[in-house]
Amino acid sequence: MTQTPSNPEKPKAKRKGKSLPPTLIIRLGKFVWTTMWRVMMSNLAPRSKSGEYIRPSSQFRNFISTEEKNPYQPEAGRYRLYVGMSCPWAHRTLVVRALKGLEDAIAVSIVSPLDSGWALDQPEAEIRTLVDLYQLGEPGYSGRSTVPVLWDTQTQTIVNNESADIIVMLNSEFNAIAHHPTLDLYPEDLKEKIDEWNEKIYHSVNNGVYRCGFAQTQEAYNAACEQLFTTLDEIDAILEKNRYLCGDRPTLADVRLFTTLFRFDVAYYGLFKCNRRRIQDYKNLGAYLRDLYQLPGVADICDQKSIKRDYYGNLFPLNPGGIIPSGPDLTNLSEPHGREMLGKAGEALVS
């Protein structure tokens, strides 16, 4: 029979190793993350000395026209648009293409962002990425490969990669093959007013949300945020009496504003820190957004799922966890907007 010792030896306690004080760990982690964040942000978004985001210029600025010596003539089936569904600049081209009724005349290829850039959802022969497309169009090209791209399938070249130029061409140069040739989104009598709005909206709203989200100093963010909401407040006041920015008919100024407004509550409000107010909180801007969304063909090219996936899932420095939020609910965009009383001409132009 085994007897238990009366005084069994107690197990020796393990020696605890020395650990860093919690405050030091936090400081070290903050230093490492801040340093890495600045490096990643400098690669993602070029900045000024004051920390303000600077958007690089587009590199390809050729035009399609019927001028005799112009190599790019408007022809059905000749051109193709390369677009990312989450990109507001590319979205502009899709909106004008839909409003003008150019779906049968100009094909579209969809690209989605990867860590290394944009990749085609459906590869085409030797083109699998946007970099491939740019290299095919201009061998040795070393600049940024961005969307949208207006591609000439006949000469295998990039016509233009500036959205502001592309929507002007789609509006005016394809009327002979458009289903809605009488719709003019850039009419001569409103060009000066449209250009004024475009200039204001580009700096403080279209690019303004990026200047907020990509700001690398508090001062740069504060300035961008103030300009953004000052302009939104101004637009909301204008829309009290005008159905659209320039009166009672939609123009390219409305198209350029629309694609930013559609993404605002989905991505810019939270991810880009543009959170003073949502667009749906504005009395007139919210209804104006619904009005534009309900123009023929527009809702079909508004992809909230891609916007949330690409903004929250691919902008790692802004959302390192990669968690995609469940909201917001945009079903109200299909509800009555009540802006018909402010003008009937807009309805006639897109009917």
Side-chain angles (χ1 to χ4, degrees):
M1 181 176 178
T2 303
Q3 293 183 343
T4 302
S6 57
N7 293 307
E9 183 178 352
K10 294 182 180 180
K12 294 182 179 179
K14 293 183 179 179
R15 295 181 63 184
K16 293 184 179 179
K18 293 183 177 180
S19 60
L20 293 173
T23 54
L24 185 57
I25 294 176
I26 293 173
R27 289 176 183 174
L28 178 61
K30 185 177 181 180
F31 171 78
V32 172
W33 168 245
T34 301
T35 302
M36 292 177 61
W37 177 83
R38 287 173 177 164
V39 172
M40 289 185 289
M41 286 297 294
S42 66
N43 292 326
L44 173 67
R47 53 163 285 179
S48 67
K49 291 183 179 179
S50 64
E52 181 179 359
Y53 169 58
I54 301 176
R55 181 174 295 279
S57 301
S58 301
Q59 301 298 310
F60 297 86
R61 306 293 294 272
N62 299 307
F63 272 77
I64 296 170
S65 76
T66 56
E67 293 182 5
E68 185 177 351
K69 294 184 179 180
N70 186 21
Y72 301 110
Q73 295 288 319
E75 301 173 25
R78 176 174 174 176
Y79 301 98
R80 177 176 289 270
L81 276 170
Y82 288 83
V83 301
M85 296 306 293
S86 60
C87 173
W89 319 100
H91 194 188
R92 296 172 173 181
T93 67
L94 292 178
V95 171
V96 176
R97 174 177 175 264
L99 292 178
K100 292 290 293 188
L102 290 169
E103 294 93 335
D104 298 332
I106 300 175
V108 167
S109 292
I110 307 297
V111 298
S112 297
L114 299 175
D115 291 339
S116 57
W118 297 92
L120 273 71
D121 288 4
Q122 297 181 341
E124 302 165 359
E126 56 194 302
I127 303 171
R128 294 185 174 275
T129 69
L130 209 58
V131 171
D132 294 338
L133 183 72
Y134 274 74
Q135 286 297 319
L136 179 61
E138 185 170 310
Y141 176 76
S142 59
R144 298 165 66 244
S145 299
T146 60
V147 288
V149 173
L150 183 58
W151 176 260
D152 181 11
T153 63
Q154 187 176 106
T155 62
Q156 295 285 284
T157 58
I158 296 174
V159 180
N160 200 296
N161 69 342
E162 170 53 59
S163 65
D165 295 344
I166 295 173
I167 61 177
V168 169
M169 286 184 270
L170 296 181
N171 175 68
S172 63
E173 301 305 319
F174 292 88
N175 284 332
I177 52 178
H179 290 304
H180 306 295
T182 59
L183 172 63
D184 189 357
L185 298 167
Y186 195 39
E188 192 65 38
D189 62 317
L190 292 177
K191 280 187 176 180
E192 184 176 351
K193 194 171 185 179
I194 292 169
D195 291 343
E196 289 175 358
W197 272 117
N198 287 343
E199 180 66 24
K200 178 190 288 287
I201 289 170
Y202 168 76
H203 182 70
S204 58
V205 181
N206 298 144
N207 199 42
V209 293
Y210 285 87
R211 290 170 56 225
C212 290
F214 292 166
Q216 296 179 48
T217 64
Q218 187 68 49
E219 292 74 19
Y221 165 78
N222 289 345
C225 190
E226 184 63 31
Q227 291 174 5
L228 168 64
F229 283 96
T230 295
T231 301
L232 290 178
D233 290 345
E234 178 185 347
I235 294 172
D236 191 65
I238 291 292
L239 294 175
E240 180 73 33
K241 297 182 179 179
N242 285 359
R243 181 171 180 179
Y244 303 108
L245 287 173
C246 298
D248 60 359
R249 46 183 163 159
T251 68
L252 292 183
D254 298 292
V255 172
R256 290 168 59 136
L257 178 58
F258 168 75
T259 58
T260 297
L261 296 185
F262 180 72
R263 288 156 176 75
F264 198 96
D265 293 359
V266 177
Y268 305 141
Y269 178 85
L271 188 63
F272 282 16
K273 307 179 185 70
C274 303
N275 58 357
R276 285 192 189 178
R277 282 179 296 281
R278 301 170 302 174
I279 296 303
Q280 62 180 308
D281 295 331
Y282 281 93
K283 175 185 176 182
N284 301 307
L285 269 173
Y288 167 79
L289 174 58
R290 296 197 300 276
D291 189 354
L292 295 173
Y293 179 81
Q294 293 171 31
L295 291 177
V298 173
D300 295 336
I301 50 171
C302 292
D303 191 341
Q304 182 190 12
K305 183 177 179 180
S306 291
I307 291 170
K308 290 167 64 174
R309 177 199 66 200
D310 294 350
Y311 275 91
Y312 286 94
N314 289 285
L315 294 180
F316 177 79
L318 302 186
N319 189 35
I323 296 174
I324 299 174
S326 61
D329 181 3
L330 295 184
T331 55
N332 68 330
L333 289 178
S334 299
E335 296 176 357
H337 52 76
R339 297 187 60 77
E340 296 87 352
M341 69 184 77
L342 296 177
K344 293 292 183 181
E347 291 179 338
L349 282 170
V350 295
S351 61

